[in-house]
Amino acid sequence: SLRTRPTRWRALRRFGKFLASEDVTSAGDVNAGTMKRYLAFLARPDECGKRLKRPTIATQLGLIRRLLERAEQADPKLFGSALAIPYNPVPGSRIHDSKPRLPKEDLQAILVACYEQIDAAWATFQRGQAIIAASDPPARAARGESLDSAIWRLHRLTGGIAPTWKQLQEAGVAHSRLLRWGWRGGIAEHYHLTARTVVPFYVALAIQLAANPDPLRLIRRDCLVAHPIDDSRMLVEWLKHKTAPNPKIQRRSFDVRRPRSAPRLIEMLLAMTEPLIPHVPHQDRERLFLVHHIMTSRHRQHNQPASLIPYST
């Protein structure tokens, strides 16, 4: 996938560097002894005296292991001998120290802060939707255009998402007024979810669902499922992709009568991301955490005005 390519490429480049140091010129020069020496190569300190940690060594070998094994299966006579890579070449690499956990009081404090920001973001969004839905433009300010009239006018010029710098210039929005309104981000928050307003939603759902970061990032828009027994509760489902090819379903139920339960937050996200769907790449349109990018950047995978939250984020 796109997010794993850089890591896999670095692992292949490191393996290639080792093969060059071994004067390997063909696949027939690679054998079980070569793989043993590669493990020793990974364990050696670099020029600065730093050593790779055991989990890193296991990961580096694991990233090329599938490639080598698939090549060996396709042509058993390709390598000089059977590679015979051990199942667990770095014993103890999967033993991790237990991570410190935040106490309940700290988690509650974080949730309170998230709820305050969620309420503010939701109120701004609802205000913007009310302005956009009006058939006539709001009244202009005594000296020039008001924020409400700008929101109404710009929405009809940009197709429902925040305007670009070029569109703002063409629309004649004064720099001083844009500064007063919170720049493009201040306008964007009236239209849809942004990279700033998604943060409290993501953190609050991470705490309520006790979900790992990446599976939560990839949660689908159809994650809300009716409870089979209790009408006052609703299930939230998502996939643990790490367990592929048969991803494990994660599931938790919540009381929907609570205004800040996970299903209610997801319903807010569904409404705030709906305007972004036409501007998101097709493969991500079924995802929940869609955000608008104020700035375009190929390095951050912001080639389009909106997308799924990048893995690096």
Side-chain angles (χ1 to χ4, degrees):
S1 65
L2 182 62
R3 71 178 180 85
T4 59
R5 287 176 196 168
T7 304
R8 292 187 180 277
W9 168 245
R10 285 192 293 269
L12 283 168
R13 189 170 55 183
R14 175 171 280 163
F15 186 58
K17 181 180 178 181
F18 163 74
L19 294 179
S21 69
E22 290 271 308
D23 294 326
V24 172
T25 58
S26 69
D29 298 334
V30 179
N31 52 42
T34 308
M35 302 311 300
K36 290 180 181 179
R37 290 193 297 276
Y38 182 55
L39 274 172
F41 171 81
L42 291 174
R44 286 201 299 265
D46 59 13
E47 295 81 358
C48 301
K50 294 182 179 179
R51 295 177 180 270
L52 296 178
K53 295 181 179 179
R54 297 175 72 86
T56 305
I57 294 174
T59 300
Q60 288 296 306
L61 183 61
L63 288 172
I64 65 166
R65 178 176 188 157
R66 291 184 182 179
L67 178 64
L68 296 174
E69 289 180 343
R70 181 165 296 182
E72 192 174 32
Q73 290 170 3
D75 184 359
K77 298 181 180 180
L78 178 65
F79 300 118
S81 71
L83 298 185
I85 303 174
Y87 174 75
N88 186 16
V90 189
S93 61
R94 300 179 184 179
I95 300 175
H96 301 281
D97 296 332
S98 59
K99 296 180 180 180
R101 294 180 178 273
L102 286 173
K104 182 178 179 180
E105 294 76 14
D106 290 349
L107 287 175
Q108 290 293 343
I110 293 172
L111 280 173
V112 169
C114 287
Y115 294 151
E116 290 177 356
Q117 294 186 29
I118 287 170
D119 290 344
W122 180 243
T124 300
F125 173 74
Q126 285 188 307
R127 179 191 171 207
Q129 298 309 294
I131 294 170
I132 293 166
S135 56
D136 299 320
R140 295 172 67 88
R143 294 182 179 180
E145 191 170 35
S146 66
L147 174 59
D148 289 3
S149 62
I151 290 171
W152 188 91
R153 182 168 66 93
L154 290 171
H155 181 267
R156 282 154 177 77
L157 292 175
T158 61
I161 61 172
T164 63
W165 280 116
K166 184 178 180 181
Q167 288 171 329
L168 287 170
Q169 291 172 350
E170 293 173 350
V173 178
H175 186 274
S176 59
R177 289 188 177 275
L178 190 61
L179 175 63
R180 192 183 315 150
W181 297 337
W183 298 99
R184 290 170 59 202
I187 296 176
E189 291 173 8
H190 291 83
Y191 295 157
H192 43 62
L193 197 68
T194 68
R196 190 184 76 87
T197 53
V198 72
V199 174
F201 284 99
Y202 185 88
V203 174
L205 285 174
I207 294 174
Q208 288 200 33
L209 298 175
N212 290 333
D214 199 43
L216 177 59
R217 181 182 75 94
L218 298 174
I219 194 170
R220 294 174 56 88
R221 301 181 69 79
D222 56 359
C223 59
L224 296 180
V225 180
H227 197 282
I229 300 175
D230 192 345
D231 292 338
S232 63
R233 300 187 70 84
M234 185 168 288
L235 298 173
V236 179
E237 294 183 349
W238 68 100
L239 293 178
K240 189 173 182 180
H241 294 271
K242 189 177 181 180
T243 57
N246 298 311
K248 181 180 178 182
I249 296 179
Q250 307 287 293
R251 184 183 293 113
R252 294 198 69 179
S253 70
F254 295 88
D255 189 340
V256 295
R257 293 170 295 185
R258 296 186 177 184
R260 287 167 173 165
S261 62
R264 294 306 181 203
L265 301 184
I266 291 171
E267 289 171 354
M268 293 181 188
L269 284 171
L270 289 171
M272 296 175 76
T273 55
E274 184 70 26
L276 296 174
I277 293 178
H279 307 278
V280 171
H282 286 279
Q283 68 270 19
D284 294 331
R285 291 186 178 180
E286 296 302 318
R287 304 298 180 186
L288 177 63
F289 283 106
L290 307 177
V291 294
H292 174 260
H293 304 305
I294 298 297
M295 304 295 289
T296 57
S297 169
R298 288 185 179 275
H299 174 69
R300 295 179 178 271
Q301 302 173 21
H302 295 180
N303 300 335
Q304 302 197 27
S307 73
L308 173 68
I309 301 177
Y311 177 73
S312 57
T313 304

